[in-house]
């Protein structure tokens, strides 16, 4: 709701803004600008975006006045930036406002002029203006070399090398949108950017994934301008998918509609390019799709535009990349059902297109019964939601009540009409599945009486004849398909075919220019079921013109009154007169003539009324013809502008083609020389071939012999393999034995090591003993000498002892003899 200010409602604030701008136009002063600033501050706080809908005359005047202020005020005025902030908010809330500002009000040249006038020090205001440009530039079409493009592209290019990340990111995005499908702006950008900057775009990585992907998209759009003989790199093309998914998920969470729209357009451009489509069709996108479906959220206050872009991106993915439609259908159906259960129900066209595309891409001929039953079970859950969506869409259409005195509009918007048509088309696709029971399930679930009531309500609401014709054609097609399997729908078909007004609506499809082929095919099928369909296209005969003679005989009403009074006077006078019999006959003849003249006068009055109606119809036809002429002049002007752009593009392509032709001639000459050399080499190779054939014959004989030898060798080899197995077994046993012996030897080696160490110790002891023995030997020699001396002395002493003993014996004998002698 709008904020309260002196009892005014939101629409009053819009009118007050228009009045204030009108007063400023009549007398420019600071007081009027201050009043405009106050009203802008109030308008910026209004949360009801329907107040600013372009269908509202006051809102359209507000946007027109905003354009005036941006055009004629200086960038130093605060009012300009208040208007920029308001327009940024309105564009982010309503895409219709963005389209109006871009196409009818031509806001892009005004913003380019304002951007060029800003000094380099006002980065905050520059950032604010670039945010508005980001919303306005989405989907812009440039067909001629506009005056503002040079300054705009140079200013945006200067921001690419700016140290501020926000300025460079926004500038990169705006440049990418300007170059998307616009040959003139892309060529002008290539001539504006210096070569180092272009090289940096191709090679230098960016800080954020979104900027990196946008720079790659800009490089892709710039490379499409030049003719290139080099095919795209498969690795580069395959790297687009994860980058697209990451950036789209982040933009979905942030509700960045402009970035999502750019990603969808870039993916559509890749799918329409034959070189890229063959590479993309081989890449599986099922894991990425599952990752994206997890992000989907339809809780309270979700963005309708964001959800629509989500389903559009999913549809573009499954038509561009390879995926398992059956496995994906289960996950997609849950998300679609969640969206159908969330309000509003009248803006679900993109979700229904996704389901329709999945069902159409499925191959039911090679599908197993279990999978088919599972799919039918899932679709049975979808059908009640489709019925409820179709029925509730009429009641959920919001009535626009802008003020107490405004009339209430019950007309469906374009999104609701598209959702209605897509719902009918999805039911047709499901009913036409070539499996048993699918059409009957649709006929039983989708109630005929409820659908007919809703359809009639829609035809009463719709004002455009083409919309009613499209809706009638789709409903007729669905009714005919379901009438073959359900009796209630069969009665509906009979009732509809008997209504000539409905048949005329179907025939109106064939009268329209530039009508889709699918609608025309369905209309022809419906008319084929009616009696005498050719009568639907009969031209009503115009009333015959009244001749000049009749117009010349026209009588003025005053003269008729005089004649009547004169005749009455004559009649009274004749009544009083006594006349002859002949005079009575004359009067009777005059009376008859008078009646004939009155009858002729009545006919003439009817003819004049018809002539007046014809003149009024001719005036209406002239007005319509003038409107057609003006529209034709606009179309011719657009075609002339596009012709100039196409001529310039064709000239550049021809110049590139000439360069490539000269390069091809040089290449052809080189290839001719190489061909001559190759032919000479071919002749040499042919002579070598003859020699090789002879060698081949010899080698073939050798091969025969060698094959026989090989057979024998194979036999020998088999025998040897048998022996080898036996030897291997013996070897294994030997290995076991050897391992045991090795264990024993290791033990013995340990013992030997111990013995060697003991021996070494013993040798050391022996050396010590030898040294001691040597010393003892020297000592023993000395002792021997001493012993020999002692022996000599001993012998001498023994001899002396013997002598002493002999003396002793002699003495003893003497003493004994003396004793015996004494006795």
């Amino acid at each position: 709701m709008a904020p309260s200010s002196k009892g005014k409602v939101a629409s009053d604030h819009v009118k007050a803004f228009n009045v204030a701008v009108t007063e400023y136009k009549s007398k420019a002063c600071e007081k009027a600008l201050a009043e405009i600033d106050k009203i802008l501050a109030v308008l910026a706080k209004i949360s009801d975006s329907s107040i600013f809908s372009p269908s509202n005359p006051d809102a359209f005047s507000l946007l027109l006045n905003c354009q005036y202020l941006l055009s004629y005020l200086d960038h130093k005025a605060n009012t300009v930036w208040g208007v920029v902030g308001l327009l940024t908010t309105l564009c982010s809330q309503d895409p219709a406002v963005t389209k109006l500002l871009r196409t009818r009000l031509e806001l892009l040249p005004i913003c380019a002029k304002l951007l060029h006038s800003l000094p380099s020090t006002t980065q905050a205001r520059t950032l604010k203006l670039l945010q508005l440009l980001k919303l306005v530039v989405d989907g812009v079409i440039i067909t001629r070399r506009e005056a503002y493009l040079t300054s705009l592209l140079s200013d945006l290019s200067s921001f690419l090398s700016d140290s501020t990340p926000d300025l460079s990111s926004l500038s990169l995005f705006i440049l990418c949108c300007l170059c998307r499908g616009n040959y003139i702006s892309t060529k002008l950008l290539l001539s504006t950017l210096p070569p180092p900057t272009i090289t940096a775009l191709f090679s230098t990585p960016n800080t954020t994934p979104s900027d990196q992907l946008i720079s790659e998209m800009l490089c892709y759009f710039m490379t499409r301008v030049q003719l290139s003989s080099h095919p795209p790199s498969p690795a580069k093309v395959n790297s687009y998918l994860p980058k697209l998914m990451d950036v789209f998920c982040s933009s979905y969470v942030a509700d960045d509609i402009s970035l999502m729209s750019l990603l969808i357009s870039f993916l559509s451009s890749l799918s329409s390019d034959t070189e890229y489509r063959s590479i993309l069709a081989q890449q599986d996108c099922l894991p990425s799709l599952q990752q994206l479906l997890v992000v989907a959220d339809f809780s309270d206050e979700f963005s309708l535009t964001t959800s629509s872009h989500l389903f559009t991106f999913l549809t573009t993915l499954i038509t561009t990349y390879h995926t398992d439609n059956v496995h994906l259908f289960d996950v997609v159906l849950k998300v679609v059902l969640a969206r159908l259960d969330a309000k509003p129900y009248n803006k679900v066209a993109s979700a229904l297109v996704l389901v329709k595309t999945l069902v159409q891409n499925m191959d039911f001929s090679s599908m197993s019964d279990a999978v088919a039953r599972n799919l039918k079970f899932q679709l049975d859950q979808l059908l009640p939601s489709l019925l409820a969506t179709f029925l509730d869409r009429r009641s959920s259409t919001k009535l626009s009540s802008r003020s107490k005195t405004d009339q209430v509009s019950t007309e469906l918007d374009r999104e609701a009409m598209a959702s209605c048509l897509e719902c009918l088309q999805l039911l047709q696709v499901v009913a036409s599945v070539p499996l048993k029971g699918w059409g009957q399930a649709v006929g039983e679930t989708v109630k005929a009486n409820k659908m007919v009531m809703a359809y009639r309500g829609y035809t009463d609401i719709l004002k455009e004849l083409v919309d009613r014709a499209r809706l009638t054609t789709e409903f007729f097609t669905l009714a005919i398909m379901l009438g073959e399997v359900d009796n209630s729908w069969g009665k509906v078909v009979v009732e509809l075919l008997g209504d000539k007004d409905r048949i005329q609506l179907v025939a109106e499809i064939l009268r329209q220019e530039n009508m889709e082929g699918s609608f025309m095919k369905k209309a022809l099928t419906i008319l084929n079921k009616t009696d005498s369909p050719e009568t639907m296209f009969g031209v009503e005969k115009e009333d015959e013109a009244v001749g000049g003679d009749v117009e010349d005989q026209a009588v003025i009403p005053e003269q008729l009154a005089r004649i009547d009074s004169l005749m009455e006077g004559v009649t009274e006078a004749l009544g009083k007169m006594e006349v002859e019999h002949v005079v009575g006959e004359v009067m009777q003849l005059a009376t008859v003539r008078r009646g004939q003249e009155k009858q002729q006068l009545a006919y003439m009055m009817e003819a004049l009324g018809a002539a007046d109606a014809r003149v009024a119809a001719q005036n209406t036809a002239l007005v319509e013809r003038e409107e057609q002429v003006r529209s034709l002049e606009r179309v011719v002007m657009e075609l002339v502008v596009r012709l100039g752009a196409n001529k310039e593009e064709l000239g550049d392509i021809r110049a590139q083609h000439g360069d490539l032709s000269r390069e091809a001639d040089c290449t052809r000459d080189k290839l001719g020389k190489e061909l001559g050399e190759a032919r000479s080499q071919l002749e040499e190779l042919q002579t070598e071939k003859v020699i090789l054939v002879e060698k081949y014959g010899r080698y073939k004989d050798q091969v025969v012999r060698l094959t026989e030898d090989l057979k024998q060798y194979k036999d020998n080899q088999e025998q040897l393999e048998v022996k080898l197995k036996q030897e291997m077994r013996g070897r294994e046993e030997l290995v076991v034995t050897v391992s045991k012996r090795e264990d024993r030897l290791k033990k013995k080696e340990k013992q030997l090591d111990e013995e060697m160490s003991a021996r070494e110790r013993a040798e050391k002891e022996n050396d010590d003993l030898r040294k001691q023995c040597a010393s003892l030997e020297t000592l023993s020699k000395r002792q021997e000498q001493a012993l020999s001396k002692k022996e000599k002395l001993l012998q001498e002493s023994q001899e002396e002892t013997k002598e002493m003993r002999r003396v002793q014996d002699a003495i003893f004998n003497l003493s004994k003899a003396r004793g015996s002698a004494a006795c």
Side-chain angles (χ1 to χ4, degrees):
M1 297 298 293
S4 59
S5 175
K6 297 180 181 181
K8 295 182 179 180
V9 294
S11 59
D12 293 334
H13 290 296
V14 175
K15 294 178 181 179
F17 177 81
N18 294 330
V19 172
V21 175
T22 304
E23 293 177 355
Y24 177 78
K25 290 179 182 179
S26 61
K27 184 179 179 181
C29 60
E30 294 295 331
K31 183 178 180 180
L33 285 180
E35 182 66 22
I36 293 174
D37 292 337
K38 292 180 181 178
I39 300 175
L40 282 174
V42 176
L43 291 175
K45 298 178 182 179
I46 296 177
S47 59
D48 188 5
S49 60
S50 62
I51 299 298
F52 303 100
S53 176
S55 59
N56 185 1
D58 294 333
F60 181 79
S61 300
L62 180 140
L63 297 175
L64 192 61
N65 290 326
C66 289
Q67 184 223 24
Y68 171 79
L69 293 176
L70 291 179
S71 301
Y72 291 98
L73 291 180
D74 188 68
H75 68 87
K76 297 179 182 179
N78 294 327
T79 307
V80 172
W81 303 107
V83 171
V84 170
L86 177 63
L87 292 180
T88 303
T89 304
L90 296 182
C91 291
S92 61
Q93 292 177 352
D94 191 357
V97 176
T98 307
K99 185 177 180 181
L100 177 66
L101 293 174
R102 182 177 61 248
T103 56
R104 295 183 62 183
L105 299 184
E106 297 289 342
L107 191 64
L108 185 59
I110 299 172
C111 293
K113 178 183 175 182
L114 183 60
L115 179 65
H116 190 66
S117 63
L118 287 175
S120 58
T121 55
T122 58
Q123 289 189 356
R125 290 184 172 181
T126 304
L127 184 62
K128 198 172 184 179
L129 183 58
L130 289 179
Q131 290 174 351
L132 175 60
L133 270 174
K134 177 183 178 182
L135 299 173
V136 175
V137 82
D138 183 22
V140 66
I141 298 175
I142 300 172
T143 56
R144 60 183 178 182
R145 193 182 297 272
E146 301 286 352
Y148 68 90
L149 277 178
T150 304
S151 61
L152 178 61
L153 292 177
S154 61
D155 293 337
L156 293 175
S157 302
S158 63
F159 295 146
L160 292 179
S161 58
D162 195 276
S163 59
T164 306
D166 295 335
L167 287 179
S168 59
S169 299
L170 290 172
S171 302
L172 188 64
F173 181 88
I174 296 170
L175 287 174
C176 189
C177 290
L178 289 173
C179 295
R180 180 182 61 185
N182 297 320
Y183 178 82
I184 299 296
S185 58
T186 307
K187 182 183 176 182
L188 189 58
L189 179 62
L190 285 173
S191 61
T192 303
L193 290 177
T197 305
I198 298 177
T199 306
L201 281 176
F202 280 89
S203 58
T204 305
N206 290 275
T207 55
T208 61
S210 59
D211 291 347
Q212 178 65 31
L213 183 59
I214 293 173
S215 64
E216 292 183 6
M217 287 191 287
L218 179 59
C219 295
Y220 169 78
F221 292 137
M222 290 192 294
T223 54
R224 292 296 93 189
V225 176
Q226 303 291 335
L227 296 177
S228 177
S229 58
H230 301 288
S233 173
K236 183 70 174 178
V237 178
N238 291 332
S239 65
Y240 284 147
L241 180 59
K243 296 178 182 178
L244 283 170
M245 300 306 299
D246 294 340
V247 176
F248 190 88
C249 289
S250 60
S251 61
Y252 178 80
V253 174
D255 287 338
D256 193 347
I257 298 173
S258 301
L259 182 55
M260 288 190 288
S261 177
L262 180 62
L263 294 177
I264 294 171
S265 177
F266 174 65
L267 187 57
S268 301
S269 301
L270 291 179
S271 62
S272 60
D273 196 329
T274 54
E275 295 179 350
Y276 286 83
R277 185 171 62 248
S278 59
I279 301 175
L280 296 175
Q282 300 175 0
Q283 189 175 2
D284 187 12
C285 67
L286 183 59
S288 302
L289 285 173
Q290 292 175 344
Q291 173 190 354
L292 182 59
L293 290 172
V294 173
V295 184
D297 183 20
F298 306 110
S299 58
D300 295 338
E301 298 182 357
F302 71 96
S303 175
L304 295 176
T305 310
T306 304
S307 63
S308 177
H309 280 72
L310 170 65
F311 290 114
T312 305
F313 185 70
L314 288 171
T315 306
T316 310
L317 276 178
I318 64 176
T319 54
T320 304
Y321 289 91
H322 171 72
T323 185
D324 186 2
N325 296 306
V326 177
H327 183 69
L328 182 64
F329 185 78
D330 185 18
V331 186
V332 170
L333 186 62
K334 295 178 182 178
V335 178
V336 172
L337 288 175
R339 174 61 190 92
L340 294 178
D341 293 339
K343 293 182 180 180
Y345 306 117
N346 59 341
K347 295 183 179 181
V348 292
S350 57
L352 300 180
V353 170
L354 175 61
V355 179
K356 182 180 71 174
T357 306
L358 277 174
V359 177
Q360 289 175 341
N361 292 340
M362 291 181 186
D363 185 10
F364 292 96
S365 59
S366 59
M367 188 179 294
S368 62
D369 294 338
V371 176
R373 287 194 298 271
N374 186 25
L375 283 176
K376 187 176 182 301
F377 175 74
Q378 294 173 354
L379 284 172
D380 288 341
Q381 299 176 358
L382 177 64
L383 292 177
S385 299
L386 292 178
L387 177 61
T389 301
F390 189 83
L391 298 178
D392 293 343
R393 191 175 294 116
R394 181 185 175 189
S395 60
S396 64
T397 303
K398 294 183 179 180
L399 303 179
S400 59
S401 56
R402 298 184 180 89
S403 64
K404 295 181 180 179
T405 60
D406 293 341
Q407 294 181 355
V408 178
S409 175
T410 58
E411 184 181 359
L412 288 177
D413 57 3
R414 290 296 176 185
E415 181 66 22
M417 179 63 188
S419 301
C420 180
L421 293 176
E422 291 298 335
C423 183
L424 294 175
Q425 291 177 3
L426 178 56
L427 290 173
Q428 294 171 21
V429 171
V430 176
S432 61
V433 171
L435 293 177
K436 183 179 179 181
W438 285 60
Q440 186 177 1
V442 175
E444 293 176 354
T445 306
V446 181
K447 302 299 181 182
N449 54 353
K450 295 182 180 180
M451 293 289 289
V452 171
M453 292 177 61
Y455 159 70
R456 290 176 177 171
Y458 287 134
T459 53
D460 294 338
I461 292 174
L462 293 173
K463 294 182 179 180
E464 294 292 335
L465 180 61
V466 178
D467 293 339
R468 293 201 303 271
R470 289 182 177 180
L471 181 62
T472 303
T473 303
E474 293 294 347
F475 190 80
F476 259 94
T477 305
L478 177 63
I480 292 172
M481 294 177 63
L482 298 180
E484 298 176 355
V485 295
D486 189 79
N487 294 328
S488 59
W489 278 102
K491 296 178 182 178
V492 171
V493 173
V494 174
E495 180 183 355
L496 292 176
L497 291 177
D499 192 344
K500 293 183 179 181
D501 294 336
R502 309 292 179 184
I503 300 298
Q504 284 290 345
L505 288 176
V506 176
E508 188 65 28
I509 291 291
L510 302 177
R511 297 191 184 100
Q512 298 296 323
E513 297 180 357
N514 300 325
M515 182 59 65
E516 294 87 345
S518 59
F519 281 102
M520 298 183 70
K521 183 178 179 181
K522 293 175 182 178
L524 290 173
T525 304
I526 295 168
L527 293 177
N528 190 30
K529 296 182 179 297
T530 61
D531 297 334
S532 300
E534 64 276 2
T535 59
M536 301 298 170
F537 303 96
V539 180
E540 297 181 357
K541 296 183 179 180
E542 297 181 356
D543 296 336
E544 296 181 357
V546 180
D549 298 336
V550 178
E551 294 178 358
D552 294 338
Q553 297 177 1
V555 182
I556 300 174
E558 296 178 357
Q559 295 178 355
L560 291 175
R562 291 177 183 177
I563 292 171
D564 290 338
S565 62
L566 181 60
M567 292 297 296
E568 290 177 357
V570 172
T571 303
E572 293 177 357
L574 289 175
K576 296 178 180 179
M577 292 177 59
E578 293 181 358
V579 296
E580 297 180 357
H581 180 68
V582 178
V583 177
E585 294 178 355
V586 171
M587 293 303 297
Q588 186 177 2
L589 179 60
T591 303
V592 172
R593 285 184 177 180
R594 182 183 178 187
Q596 292 177 354
E597 288 177 356
K598 286 184 177 181
Q599 187 177 5
Q600 186 179 4
L601 181 61
Y603 292 155
M604 291 173 63
M605 293 298 292
E606 292 179 359
L608 287 174
D612 293 338
R614 182 186 177 191
V615 170
Q618 286 179 348
N619 291 333
T620 305
L622 286 175
V623 172
E624 294 179 354
R625 182 62 58 87
E626 290 177 357
E627 183 66 27
Q628 291 177 0
V629 169
R630 284 194 293 269
S631 63
L632 182 61
E633 288 177 354
R634 288 195 297 269
V635 171
V636 170
M637 182 60 67
E638 293 177 358
L639 290 176
V640 169
V641 172
R642 290 183 181 179
L643 179 61
N646 291 331
K647 283 183 179 180
E648 184 177 357
E649 182 177 359
L650 183 60
D652 294 339
I653 293 175
R654 284 177 177 173
Q656 296 177 22
H657 183 267
D659 297 336
L660 293 175
S661 299
R662 286 189 293 272
E663 184 179 355
D665 293 337
C666 298
T667 307
R668 190 182 298 109
D669 296 336
K670 293 179 181 179
L671 292 176
K673 294 179 182 178
E674 293 178 358
L675 180 62
E677 296 175 357
R679 285 177 177 174
S680 61
Q681 293 178 1
L682 181 61
E683 293 177 355
E684 295 177 357
L685 291 174
Q686 286 178 351
T687 55
E688 293 178 358
K689 179 182 177 182
V690 174
I691 300 172
L692 291 174
V693 168
E694 295 177 356
K695 291 182 179 180
Y696 174 73
R698 294 194 300 269
Y699 291 154
K700 190 174 182 180
D701 297 335
Q702 292 180 3
V703 167
V704 173
R705 292 194 300 271
L706 290 174
T707 50
E708 295 176 356
D709 295 339
L710 183 62
K711 289 180 181 179
Q712 186 175 359
Y713 290 154
K714 285 183 178 179
D715 297 335
N716 295 334
Q717 185 180 2
E718 291 176 356
Q719 295 176 2
L720 291 174
E721 285 179 354
V722 174
K723 293 181 180 179
L724 180 62
K725 290 180 180 179
Q726 295 176 356
E727 290 180 356
M728 288 295 292
R729 292 176 183 173
R731 184 178 179 181
E732 291 176 356
E733 295 175 356
L734 181 61
V735 166
V736 174
T737 306
V738 169
S739 61
K740 293 179 180 180
R741 291 182 179 179
E742 286 178 353
D743 295 336
R744 295 175 183 175
L745 288 174
K746 287 180 181 178
K747 293 179 181 179
K748 290 182 178 181
E749 284 178 356
K750 289 181 181 179
Q751 293 177 359
L752 288 174
D753 292 336
E754 294 176 355
E755 290 178 359
M756 288 295 292
S757 60
R759 185 176 293 176
E760 288 176 356
R761 290 195 297 269
E763 286 179 355
K764 289 181 181 179
E765 292 177 357
N766 289 333
D767 291 336
D768 295 336
L769 291 173
R770 285 192 186 95
K771 291 178 181 180
Q772 292 178 2
C773 287
S775 61
L776 290 174
E777 285 179 355
T778 54
L779 181 61
S780 61
K781 288 180 180 180
R782 292 176 182 176
Q783 289 179 354
E784 285 177 357
Q785 292 176 0
L787 287 173
S788 61
K789 291 179 180 179
K790 287 182 179 181
E791 285 178 357
K792 290 179 180 181
L793 293 174
L794 182 60
Q795 288 177 0
E796 291 177 356
S797 62
Q798 285 179 355
E799 290 177 355
E800 290 179 356
T801 303
K802 288 178 179 180
E803 290 177 357
M804 289 297 293
R805 283 180 180 175
R806 283 194 302 270
V807 171
Q808 186 178 4
D809 290 336
I811 294 173
F812 182 73
N813 291 325
L814 289 175
S815 62
K816 191 176 177 181
R818 288 176 179 172
S820 61
C823 294

